Amino acid sequence: MSSSSLNRLSKAATSLLSVNIGTLILLAIWWIAAALELIDRVLLPTPAETFVSLWNALISGDILQDFGLTLYRSLYAFMIALVIGVPIGIILGSSEKIYQSFEFLIDFFRSTPATAMFPLFLIVFGIGDFAKVAVAAFAGALIIFFNTAYGVMNARKTRIMAAKVMGVPRWRVFRDVIFFESLPQTFIGLRTSISLTLVVIIVAEMFVGSTNGMGQRIIDAQQVFDMPQMYASIIATGVMGYGLNQIFLITENKFVHWKGR
């Protein structure tokens, strides 16, 4: 192997290590705690036992169905939240009078935990998949329209004034200036919303009459004290959330490349 290839390999390894140093530290603390039995071994398996359990679940395909169902429910809830949240946010943000008319309701629901709405959604939609999706969509839509509204309201006034001075029609000011100015804040809302919908779906799968999904898988493993499988399922769920967040970051960087300028 040439020296240039070795240098590239060394730089790649150094870069990989630097961006994962926090993960390595956490794994080291976990391994030490398990090896010294600072926590009962029944409650805290070693990282090796956990990753072996995860690998076996992947090889058998046992975890894939639950993973897919949770991902489907989360994306379904997010799409509903997106379709509802963005238009409402634009309408609220484009008019101070309209926003003030709904300010109490906005602050009220923003202060109400989404999980507190489970009983209401169960009464309305029954014990089924859509009740879980609906409450997650409700939580996600709140985040999206808050951020969209703030993005519209905080669009740079200088650019809006410049467009108006040049005689640009109002609808084009909104389409070509306000809409694009609000996108960075809107994408923050989208990234936060997809994470929140996943959290709500997981909680719903744990406690709202579910027989499948990652939430149910985690709670089932906990109840039979299959700790390696419980931790493995938690890790798989975390990977799902991380992956969804990274997809939105990449999309944001590609389509909102002007942010901060």
Side-chain angles (χ1 to χ4, degrees):
M1 186 178 291
S2 66
S3 59
S4 60
S5 298
L6 287 172
N7 287 335
R8 285 196 299 269
L9 185 60
S10 176
K11 288 180 180 179
T14 302
S15 176
L16 184 64
L17 180 62
S18 64
V19 298
N20 289 286
I21 190 69
T23 304
L24 295 174
I25 291 173
L26 177 62
L27 287 173
I29 294 172
W30 181 4
W31 180 80
I32 291 170
L36 297 179
E37 297 190 7
L38 300 178
I39 299 174
D40 193 317
R41 283 295 301 274
V42 175
L43 302 177
L44 184 67
T46 64
E49 291 171 333
T50 299
F51 285 109
V52 166
S53 181
L54 178 59
W55 176 255
N56 290 336
L58 288 170
I59 292 299
S60 67
D62 184 38
I63 199 173
L64 297 179
Q65 182 180 8
D66 288 323
F67 189 94
L69 285 170
T70 297
L71 180 60
Y72 166 75
R73 289 166 181 152
S74 299
L75 292 177
Y76 187 10
F78 173 76
M79 292 306 298
I80 295 174
L82 176 66
V83 170
I84 294 173
V86 170
I88 292 177
I90 291 173
I91 293 170
L92 289 175
S94 61
S95 172
E96 188 175 345
K97 289 183 179 179
I98 295 177
Y99 183 86
Q100 289 175 348
S101 299
F102 288 90
E103 190 169 11
F104 171 76
L105 283 177
I106 292 170
D107 289 337
F108 176 81
F109 283 113
R110 181 168 53 185
S111 304
T112 304
T115 50
M117 304 296 288
F118 276 146
L120 174 61
F121 280 82
L122 288 175
I123 290 171
V124 175
F125 297 108
I127 299 177
D129 263 9
F130 193 74
K132 304 178 186 66
V133 170
V135 73
F138 169 78
L142 289 176
I143 297 296
I144 291 174
F145 86 70
F146 290 151
N147 282 275
T148 302
Y150 294 152
V152 172
M153 288 188 292
N154 296 323
R156 295 185 186 180
K157 307 302 181 186
T158 53
R159 294 184 181 179
I160 296 173
M161 289 300 297
K164 289 181 178 179
V165 167
M166 289 186 289
V168 177
R170 185 172 181 177
W171 68 271
R172 286 201 59 188
V173 172
F174 181 82
R175 188 194 69 180
D176 297 337
V177 180
I178 296 177
F179 175 73
F180 286 100
E181 283 286 321
S182 68
L183 279 181
Q185 186 67 37
T186 299
F187 264 91
I188 291 174
L190 295 180
R191 285 195 287 115
T192 307
S193 175
I194 190 65
S195 298
L196 183 60
T197 54
L198 175 59
V199 169
V200 175
I201 288 294
I202 292 293
V203 174
E205 288 174 345
M206 285 180 173
F207 303 113
V208 187
S210 185
T211 58
N212 48 41
M214 295 304 295
Q216 186 62 35
R217 186 181 185 85
I218 291 169
I219 205 72
D220 284 349
Q222 182 265 332
Q223 288 176 346
V224 298
F225 279 86
D226 186 356
M227 294 297 117
Q229 188 55 227
M230 186 189 79
Y231 285 105
S233 299
I234 292 172
I235 290 171
T237 305
V239 169
M240 183 193 303
Y242 177 80
L244 291 171
N245 186 63
Q246 288 302 304
I247 289 171
F248 275 91
L249 277 174
I250 293 169
T251 305
E252 180 180 0
N253 291 332
K254 182 176 179 60
F255 292 103
V256 197
H257 52 79
W258 68 87
K259 62 180 179 179
R261 298 180 183 176

